[in-house]
Amino acid sequence: MLIAVLAGGVGGAVGAALEREGATGDIRLPQAAKEAPGRPADSVAGIAARALPGVVTLHVRGTDEQGTGTGFVLDGRGHILTNNHVVAPAGSSGRITVTFSGGQSAEATVVGRDSGYDLAVVKVSGVGGLRPLSLGNSDSVQVGDPVVAIGAPFDLANTVTSGIISAKERPITAGGEKGDGSDVSYVDALQTDAPINPGNSGGPLLDSRARVIGINSAIRSADGSTDPQAGQAGSIGLGFAIPVNQARRVAEELINTGRATHPVIGVTLDLQYGGDGARVGTKTTGGPPVTPGGPGARAGIRAGDVITEVDGVPVHSGEELIVRTRAHRPGDRLLLTLRRDGGRKRITLVLGSADGG
C-alpha cells in the first residue's frame, strides 16, 4: 500500500508540473527538415525535371471528334513530334492547341503526318524558350534498361511513370477502324511495362539520361486488342513505343517534304494465308502480285512464294513481314529466306521506295 501511494503521489506531482509548463496543450509532431530540391540526374525525378519542359499536351478538336494526346519539342523552330492518331481528328479544318508544362498554350498546324508509321509533326509559332528533347539511339537499348514515360493519361498532363524495357522488336499492328487498311500502322516496337494510358500517345519514352528512345503509341488492353487509343482501357503493363531511330527518319522527311517514304518489296501479300510465313499472292485482280521491274521481281520472288525469314529472323505472317520491312530504309539490303515448291531459297533484295499516306 505504501509503494502504491508513493507512486501515485509522484505521478500527480509530475502531471501538475507539466500542466504548469504548457506541455498538455497542442500536439506538435516531429518532421524531417526541408531538403534540397535537386535529385540525381539518372533518378526518375532527375529525368523528369530535365524532360518535362520539352513535353507538351495536345488538345485536338475536329468537326465530329476530339481528343487529347502528348508530344515533345524537336527543335527551336517549333516542330513537335506526336502520333498521327492524336492529330487525325482535326482533319483539314480542325483545331490543335498545344500546352507546355509551364501552362503556356499556342495554336499548332500540321506539317505532315503518316498513318503507316503513326507519326505526325505539328508546328507552333511565336513561342520563345523552347526546350527540345535530346534523341537517343534505340538500337542501343537493351531489355531491362530503366525507362521513364511522360504524357497526359486521361488528360492528366505532365504525368510521369517509370519501368523497364521488357522486350524489343515486337511486331505490332494497330488501328484499322476504317476497314480499308488506310489507318493501319505497323510498328517494330519497343515494349515497356511503364504504365501508359489513353492520352500518353505521342509522348516520349526516355532512357536514364533523359534522351528519347521511343514514342509511346499503343497499349495491349485486357480484352486482347492492341489499340493506339484503347478506348477507356487502363494499363496492364504492356505498352509499345515506336523506336526513335525510325521516328527520327520519318520526322525529318515530314518536316522537309511533308510526306514520309515507305520501304517496299514490290509484292502483294496474301494476308488471309493461314500458314507460317508471309505468302506472296497468286491472284492477279488489281495487278500482278509481283510488281514487274520492282525490287521483288529483280530479286527473283515469284507469286506463291512464302517468305519465312528476314535477315535470319523468322517471320510468321504477312503483317509481321510488313513490320520488319518498315523498320528499314529505302535502299537497305535484306536477306530473305523463301519456301518454294517444298524447298528453301535465299535471295538478296534491295528495298524500293513508295510515298506514305
Side-chain angles (χ1 to χ4, degrees):
M1 288 294 294
L2 180 60
I3 293 173
V5 169
L6 288 175
V10 171
V14 172
L18 290 174
E19 185 173 1
R20 286 195 301 271
E21 294 170 7
T24 59
D26 294 341
I27 294 176
R28 296 289 184 267
L29 299 176
Q31 184 180 19
K34 187 175 180 179
E35 299 177 358
R39 293 291 185 270
D42 61 351
S43 68
V44 174
I47 295 167
R50 284 186 286 170
L52 274 168
V55 180
V56 303
T57 302
L58 290 86
H59 291 97
V60 181
R61 291 183 177 274
T63 304
D64 302 314
E65 296 181 77
Q66 63 182 35
T68 301
T70 307
F72 61 92
V73 179
L74 288 172
D75 57 26
R77 298 182 180 183
H79 292 111
I80 292 168
L81 184 62
T82 186
N83 282 139
N84 174 67
H85 74 260
V86 169
V87 302
S92 59
S93 58
R95 180 180 181 185
I96 302 174
T97 303
V98 170
T99 303
F100 294 83
S101 62
Q104 182 183 9
S105 293
E107 297 297 309
T109 57
V110 175
V111 174
R113 61 191 187 96
D114 187 280
S115 59
Y117 286 112
D118 194 19
L119 291 169
V121 174
V122 302
K123 185 177 182 181
V124 294
S125 300
V127 179
L130 294 174
R131 298 278 295 275
L133 296 190
S134 298
L135 304 184
N137 190 324
S138 48
D139 288 345
S140 302
V141 173
Q142 298 294 320
V143 173
D145 282 349
V147 290
V148 171
I150 302 180
F154 301 104
D155 208 11
L156 298 171
N158 305 324
T159 294
V160 177
T161 58
S162 66
I164 62 169
I165 294 293
S166 44
K168 295 176 60 177
E169 298 179 347
R170 289 293 199 209
I172 300 300
T173 58
E177 287 76 15
K178 291 184 178 180
D180 60 0
S182 62
D183 63 334
V184 176
S185 59
Y186 300 88
V187 181
D188 201 25
L190 299 173
Q191 180 182 315
T192 180
D193 68 348
I196 57 177
N197 290 284
N200 274 101
S201 292
L205 188 67
L206 304 155
D207 66 10
S208 60
R209 297 173 66 179
R211 301 174 301 190
V212 181
I213 56 170
I215 292 80
N216 299 316
S217 301
I219 64 173
R220 175 73 67 175
S221 59
D223 64 4
S225 65
T226 304
D227 191 329
Q229 306 207 57
Q232 293 300 308
S235 172
I236 60 171
L238 289 173
F240 303 97
I242 300 168
V244 74
N245 289 19
Q246 185 180 74
R248 176 177 174 269
R249 176 184 74 82
V250 175
E252 288 175 346
E253 291 187 343
L254 293 176
I255 292 171
N256 293 327
T257 70
R259 300 182 68 85
T261 56
H262 293 183
V264 294
I265 293 177
V267 301
T268 300
L269 298 175
D270 179 5
L271 298 180
Q272 305 304 315
Y273 176 65
D276 192 53
R279 185 186 184 193
V280 180
T282 57
K283 298 180 180 180
T284 58
T285 302
V290 180
T291 305
R298 291 195 298 269
I301 295 178
R302 300 177 186 174
D305 283 349
V306 177
I307 300 172
T308 59
E309 294 181 0
V310 176
D311 292 334
V313 179
V315 293
H316 304 290
S317 67
E319 289 85 355
E320 192 169 333
L321 176 61
I322 296 172
V323 168
R324 299 298 185 207
T325 302
R326 292 278 178 89
H328 292 80
R329 295 171 177 264
D332 284 354
R333 290 181 177 272
L334 302 183
L335 177 62
L336 302 182
T337 302
L338 311 177
R339 190 168 65 243
R340 178 190 297 168
D341 299 329
R344 292 182 53 179
K345 181 178 179 63
R346 290 186 175 179
I347 63 171
T348 299
L349 178 144
V350 179
L351 289 169
S353 177
D355 285 338

